[in-house]
Amino acid sequence: MFHTSSDSASPYSLAVYGWDDGWAEAFTPYAERGLVPGRVIRVDRGQCDLVTPSGPARADTELVTPRDPMRIVCTGDWVAVDAEGDPAYVRTLLPRRTALVRSTSSKRSDGQVLAANADHAVIAVSLAAELDLGRVERFTALAWESGAQPLLVLTKADLVPDPDTLAHLVSDTETAAPGVRVLPVSSATGEGLEELGALLASGTSVLLGQSGAGKSTLANALVGEAVQDVRAIRDSDGKGRHTTTTRDLLPLPSGGVLIDTPGLRGVGLWDAGGGVAQAFAEIEALAEGCRFPDCAHRAEPGCAVLAAIDDGSLPERRLESYRKLLRENERLAARTDARLRAELRRDWKQRQALGRHMGERKRGPMRGR
């Protein structure tokens, strides 16, 4: 039997996991129905592990499995649980404050929620391989779109012993992510870990990055124990294998919680126009000075963006990357719109067929003449 108390005196205080007055207010109608609050720490095959005021629990999610993949229970969600039965059941999700969403490989153009209710999106980029600024920009756009604050962490900084070289890498990353903090860290030497822990000491953070970026090692260093499996990267190409296979929510000793995610080989944007605009804020700002409001920044006279490229204040690579992500997002939007149109057309035909059927029933069988 669960207990619904969630005050700070509870041995499993939900406050440790991010419970606050806002969540308490959102949960009020469910408390009146006798449901119990909980935060999802892992999802696995139609069930989820969660933490409740009375301790860890496992609940079935089948009652809230919707047709819309954006509403599937995921790590970081706050839920209302019916704890009377065996097993317990998740009855509903509390409205998400933020959601980290990427596009799936599905031809239906669905979005996949990687984590919910994160305050910080920590993007791990390994310095063991050549710095890919295009990937940095893609992850940054994804993070901005989620509503979380991006933070770029350059992992394995011990592999770049020359301070000047490391400073250049940090500077290049800052140029590719304006307005985002860039922090070099090393799980091997401890460089940057204390500062990173302080930055993540409040709220919920989600850890993102490619396989081999050192996310699991970083998670272990932040948590202070080996909570995630770690494997060596391949010598041939510097890439790693998926050591984290689920999305786990982990309490941090300095405060806050961390959601570790599996390595992402590809990150497709999903309805991320706002995120792209923030990731390329300097281009958006320059575009306001263009002569024409619909300037495509290609050959138009009076283009402030092209002028910035000519005078060297804007790298041409940034504009090309901006165009690429905009095209990708527009293609997905077109596919999504086409899918929605098809679904509306199918629903309309079903209603039309039902209307004919009901009309025939009302009129009764045709009489012979």
Side-chain angles (χ1 to χ4, degrees):
M1 177 70 67
F2 291 110
H3 302 287
T4 57
S5 170
S6 57
D7 59 40
S8 59
S10 168
Y12 286 94
S13 170
L14 293 189
V16 173
Y17 291 85
W19 184 263
D20 57 27
D21 291 342
W23 291 119
E25 182 178 355
F27 189 76
T28 299
Y30 306 109
E32 293 170 352
R33 291 164 48 187
L35 300 180
V36 177
R39 189 161 200 195
V40 178
I41 59 177
R42 184 183 300 106
V43 179
D44 180 30
R45 298 178 182 178
Q47 291 188 314
C48 66
D49 293 326
L50 42 83
V51 61
T52 72
S54 59
R58 191 162 177 83
D60 201 303
T61 63
E62 68 176 64
L63 296 183
V64 291
T65 300
R67 290 179 59 187
D68 182 1
M70 294 286 288
R71 296 296 299 163
I72 293 175
V73 175
C74 76
T75 303
D77 271 323
W78 285 99
V79 298
V81 186
D82 181 354
E84 295 298 324
D86 186 14
Y89 283 93
V90 173
R91 290 290 180 177
T92 191
L93 304 182
L94 271 62
R96 292 165 176 157
R97 293 178 180 175
T98 65
L100 192 79
V101 184
R102 70 167 177 175
S103 67
T104 66
S105 58
S106 168
K107 294 181 180 180
R108 286 175 50 85
S109 305
D110 291 325
Q112 178 191 15
V113 183
L114 300 175
N117 301 312
D119 303 290
H120 312 284
V122 183
I123 303 164
V125 180
S126 173
L127 293 180
E130 184 177 353
L131 192 59
D132 186 337
L133 297 180
R135 184 171 291 114
V136 167
E137 290 159 340
R138 177 177 293 273
F139 271 98
T140 302
L142 184 80
W144 279 126
E145 185 65 33
S146 75
Q149 172 66 46
L151 170 63
L152 276 156
V153 174
L154 303 183
T155 64
K156 308 181 184 182
D158 55 289
L159 299 181
V160 187
D162 179 55
D164 291 336
T165 302
L166 182 59
H168 283 303
L169 291 171
V170 171
S171 177
D172 288 346
T173 307
E174 289 173 339
T175 300
V180 178
R181 177 79 172 272
V182 179
L183 181 66
V185 303
S186 170
S187 299
T189 66
E191 177 187 353
L193 289 179
E194 185 176 351
E195 185 177 358
L196 179 59
L199 291 171
L200 307 184
S202 63
T204 299
S205 304
V206 58
L207 188 54
L208 306 166
Q210 278 194 304
S211 298
K215 293 187 291 77
S216 296
T217 303
L218 183 59
N220 289 340
L222 289 169
V223 174
E225 57 181 295
V227 291
Q228 300 292 59
D229 184 29
V230 176
R231 298 177 189 168
I233 64 173
R234 297 196 298 256
D235 292 333
S236 59
D237 56 10
K239 295 182 179 179
R241 293 174 291 173
H242 293 295
T243 57
T244 300
T245 57
T246 59
R247 299 175 184 92
D248 301 325
L249 188 147
L250 310 166
L252 298 175
S254 57
V257 290
L258 177 70
I259 300 175
D260 191 14
T261 63
L264 301 173
R265 296 192 187 280
V267 180
L269 300 183
W270 191 87
D271 193 20
V276 173
Q278 283 187 278
F280 295 87
E282 82 279 32
I283 296 179
E284 293 280 320
L286 286 168
E288 293 180 1
C290 292
R291 180 184 301 177
F292 303 109
D294 59 348
C295 184
H297 320 308
R298 294 193 178 277
E300 297 86 347
C303 176
V305 174
L306 295 180
I309 289 177
D310 289 340
D311 67 24
S313 60
L314 176 68
E316 188 171 2
R317 188 205 64 78
R318 283 284 286 170
L319 180 58
E320 289 303 317
S321 185
Y322 175 65
R323 289 170 174 162
K324 178 180 178 180
L325 293 185
L326 280 181
R327 286 195 303 268
E328 178 182 325
N329 198 60
E330 289 167 356
R331 283 196 301 268
L332 181 68
R335 286 170 54 192
T336 302
D337 288 344
R339 185 196 74 189
L340 291 176
R341 287 195 299 271
E343 290 179 348
L344 289 172
R345 188 162 54 246
R346 183 175 63 250
D347 290 345
W348 178 79
K349 288 182 178 180
Q350 289 174 346
R351 288 195 299 270
Q352 189 180 48
L354 179 61
R356 286 197 301 267
H357 174 68
M358 296 303 294
E360 291 170 358
R361 288 187 58 185
K362 185 177 180 179
R363 289 191 299 271
M366 294 291 290
R367 296 180 182 274
R369 295 184 178 178

